[in-house]
Amino acid sequence: MPEVQPSGQLIEECESTNDLCRALGEKGAPEGSWVSARRQSRGRGRLGREWASAEGNLFFSLLARPLHRERASWIPIAAGVAAVRAVRRLGGPEGLRLKWPNDLWLGPAKAGGILCEGVSGPRGFFVVIGIGINCRSAPGGLGQAATSLGVDVDGLRPLLAEELRACLRELDSAGPAGIREAYEAQALFQPGTPVSWAGERGVALGLDASGGLRVRRDRDGVELTILAEDVSIRPVGDQPC
Ligand code: BTN
């Protein structure tokens, strides 16, 4: 039987594109299928937060079906790499950086974020990669600095789908080494950067074998890995994010 090709759809409005993408996954859609909306009425962020979703910004979710489940922890990292590449291809700012695990930052402000959700069901394991990018406007009232990139949202969708599919293929075929290298080149937390998390302070050391962030804690010199699900982390001196 011929392989089903992934497709993408743009709709006017939904609650969350991650929910629609999950439904695609449950129906058996192939890796690389995506859905995007001009507006979301209940956009979700990481750590249970709301994601403000005004028209003109990007709300986009793409389906991943990793061949190697043990590499799935690298998918959020790969998604960040793909997002930066897509924005740059559209002439977006060179200064765009990835704040671990996968926020897009420009200078001291957040310009986008990624929410990956894993699902195990009768059709196997898949991951919904949800990406929000402030293309036209920066939401206010978040208790943190936000900025927008001034890139064309309609131009960004196809480039993002292409870059995400390429990064997922690379992860499947070659493993995380190349993704890791690309991530580290764009990382806000270069080794030695002072960081704070959950009332602690330390310095960033780099990524561990699963894409977790290694840090050395100031108060006792202990080296440990921070898990993305657990905490928010910030450069010392910045607002919570
Ligand atoms: C974060 O907290 O930084 C992650 C934000 C992820 C937002 C995107 S917008 C498209 C997709 N649909 C959602 O409801 N959330 C993600």
Side-chain angles (χ1 to χ4, degrees):
M1 245 187 18
E3 219 178 86
V4 183
Q5 291 305 308
S7 59
Q9 49 174 321
L10 170 63
I11 60 171
E12 285 300 312
E13 181 166 335
C14 66
E15 290 197 345
S16 161
T17 56
N18 268 26
D19 294 341
L20 298 183
C21 189
R22 178 184 177 138
L24 288 178
E26 283 166 347
K27 278 191 219 137
E31 172 162 294
S33 304
W34 60 264
V35 58
S36 182
R38 294 198 190 277
R39 300 173 295 280
Q40 294 185 124
S41 55
R42 294 184 66 171
R44 292 195 297 277
R46 288 183 57 240
L47 307 172
R49 295 172 180 145
E50 181 192 341
W51 187 258
S53 303
E55 184 150 1
N57 290 339
L58 179 100
F59 315 111
F60 180 100
S61 301
L62 183 137
L63 184 64
R65 294 189 182 278
L67 292 179
H68 306 276
R69 177 123 182 214
E70 71 282 5
R71 295 180 193 165
S73 61
W74 285 94
I75 289 178
I77 302 286
V81 168
V84 170
R85 285 180 177 164
V87 168
R88 293 251 175 81
R89 277 176 66 185
L90 209 55
E94 283 296 314
L96 192 59
R97 292 284 172 273
L98 287 164
K99 174 179 164 290
W100 185 88
N102 47 21
D103 281 355
L104 276 65
W105 266 33
L106 186 61
K110 182 161 170 164
I114 297 175
L115 173 67
C116 290
E117 298 178 310
V119 180
S120 291
R123 305 260 193 171
F125 175 70
F126 62 86
V127 178
V128 172
I129 304 171
I131 304 184
I133 296 179
N134 301 338
C135 291
R136 186 197 287 170
S137 63
L142 301 179
Q144 67 173 89
T147 190
S148 63
L149 300 178
V151 292
D152 170 39
V153 65
D154 292 320
L156 186 56
R157 288 188 196 92
L159 298 181
L160 184 57
E162 201 176 301
E163 294 293 345
L164 279 166
R165 288 170 183 163
C167 281
L168 292 171
R169 273 198 306 272
E170 179 178 344
L171 205 51
D172 271 345
S173 58
I179 297 291
R180 176 195 194 110
E181 197 179 317
Y183 182 91
E184 285 173 347
Q186 313 298 336
L188 188 66
F189 298 150
Q190 294 293 324
T193 305
V195 290
S196 68
W197 72 99
E200 301 280 2
R201 280 175 177 239
V203 292
L205 299 175
L207 299 183
D208 77 357
S210 307
L213 184 68
R214 299 285 298 162
V215 294
R216 185 184 309 107
R217 196 159 57 191
D218 285 350
R219 66 179 158 88
D220 53 9
V222 168
E223 294 186 9
L224 49 107
T225 296
I226 298 184
L227 299 176
E229 303 78 44
D230 295 343
V231 292
S232 63
I233 179 166
R234 59 187 188 268
V236 166
D238 279 28
Q239 295 301 308
C241 46

